[in-house]
Amino acid sequence: MIILKSSLEIERMKVPCQIVSETLAMLRGQIKPGVTTLALDRCAEKFALKSKSVPAFKGYSGYPFSLCCSLNDQVVHGFPNEKELRDGDILSIDFGVVYDGFYGDAAITVPVGTVSVNAAKLIKVTEESLYKGIEKALPNNNLSDISASVQAHAEGSGFSVVREFVGHGIGRSLHESPQVPNFGKPGRGVKLKPGMVLAIEPMINEKGSHVRILSDGWTAVTLDGGLSAHFEHTVAITKNGPEILTSI
Ligand code: MF3
Ligand code: CO
């Protein structure tokens, strides 16, 4: 069942969503060679708590950190650790909080120092793919119009779309119905309606689309060792079109 949100509820969701986007903006400014992802995790947690919100991922199905830090060939759900970031790395950071009963969720991928031409292109195309999807988050479109639009841009740019992880409805729970895949034929799935709030989150790979999970039970990495990027926004569908709740 898809839970529609009133305009008042969408206004309330802007608070956690803004805390998430401010946290990511703050972290982006700290990402450079020599910094550890565990330091970023502590910073994110501190910022969320100072904003009177609670980090949403820590303890979710047993996830042990506040921030997901996925480096290079890591696709999603990577653990923060004590290793220093190096020039040329790419780092995906994914963060969520809950405030006054509502969740916000967003992710960005950030270059560390100077990255290869292909790494920079992967980051750019993944962010563009997210916006291509958001453009289709309109009343009377079908859910898979979002998916198809993401896929067309990513594959049209020579990259591949991860199938195992998808976006999701979001509201009083972090993960609500419907699932939002980043691939598929247009014109399928539910009709989009004002009041739906979706976390749209393409994960795009440099080479093949296949992933495997490391022995920590969480970290997804590309099967072929190619790079992966991830961008996510929490988006409300309104009668006037998509409203990005996690925009800066
Ligand atoms: N944005 C990711 C998702 O929606 C992050 C979840 S991390 C978890 O799946 F720990 F909460 F699972
Ligand atoms: Co999400």
Side-chain angles (χ1 to χ4, degrees):
M1 187 208 29
I2 299 177
I3 303 166
L4 298 181
K5 280 82 185 175
S6 68
S7 28
L8 185 67
E9 288 172 320
I10 290 173
E11 284 308 306
R12 285 176 62 183
M13 287 191 71
K14 287 182 183 172
V15 180
C17 287
Q18 285 299 306
I19 294 169
V20 168
S21 53
E22 284 170 29
T23 307
L24 292 177
M26 181 267 298
L27 295 176
R28 178 195 283 283
Q30 301 194 5
I31 291 175
K32 47 178 173 295
V35 168
T36 73
T37 50
L38 202 58
L40 299 176
D41 176 71
R42 283 194 294 259
C43 252
E45 186 167 301
K46 234 163 99 181
F47 189 88
L49 295 173
K50 201 178 72 196
S51 310
K52 308 263 181 275
S53 66
V54 177
F57 300 166
K58 203 175 208 167
Y60 183 92
S61 301
Y63 184 77
F65 298 94
S66 293
L67 188 68
C68 297
C69 292
S70 307
L71 188 68
N72 296 330
D73 65 330
Q74 297 179 351
V75 176
V76 74
H77 301 157
F79 286 1
N81 61 36
E82 293 279 18
K83 273 187 232 136
E84 293 184 359
L85 295 172
R86 297 181 352 173
D87 190 63
D89 285 341
I90 67 169
L91 179 69
S92 300
I93 51 175
D94 186 352
F95 192 55
V97 303
V98 56
Y99 180 95
D100 189 24
F102 284 101
Y103 284 80
D105 187 7
I108 57 175
T109 300
V110 183
V112 181
T114 310
V115 303
S116 71
V117 170
N118 212 40
K121 180 182 170 199
L122 176 67
I123 292 172
K124 177 167 177 279
V125 166
T126 305
E127 186 169 24
E128 288 167 354
S129 300
L130 168 59
Y131 284 96
K132 291 283 182 191
I134 292 171
E135 274 174 19
K136 302 289 180 184
L138 299 168
N140 291 319
N141 269 1
N142 289 89
L143 181 67
S144 79
D145 296 340
I146 298 172
S147 317
S149 183
V150 169
Q151 181 177 24
H153 188 65
E155 291 182 353
S157 308
F159 297 127
S160 71
V161 173
V162 172
R163 307 297 206 259
E164 287 86 345
F165 299 95
V166 295
H168 49 94
I170 179 167
R172 290 181 186 276
S173 307
L174 176 61
H175 293 141
E176 294 182 357
S177 199
Q179 293 197 344
V180 186
N182 298 300
F183 61 94
K185 291 196 169 72
R188 312 279 171 95
V190 293
K191 276 263 182 256
L192 301 179
K193 287 198 186 116
M196 290 181 178
V197 182
L198 305 175
I200 304 175
E201 51 177 317
M203 283 145 264
I204 306 298
N205 292 353
E206 179 189 23
K207 299 177 188 164
S209 68
H210 292 292
V211 307
R212 67 187 173 90
I213 308 292
L214 299 186
S215 57
D216 62 21
W218 278 98
T219 311
V221 299
T222 60
L223 201 56
D224 59 18
L227 296 173
S228 187
H230 180 203
F231 279 84
E232 174 176 24
H233 270 311
T234 298
V235 179
I237 298 171
T238 78
K239 63 179 190 337
N240 302 319
E243 187 176 4
I244 301 175
L245 304 184
T246 43
S247 63
I248 293 292

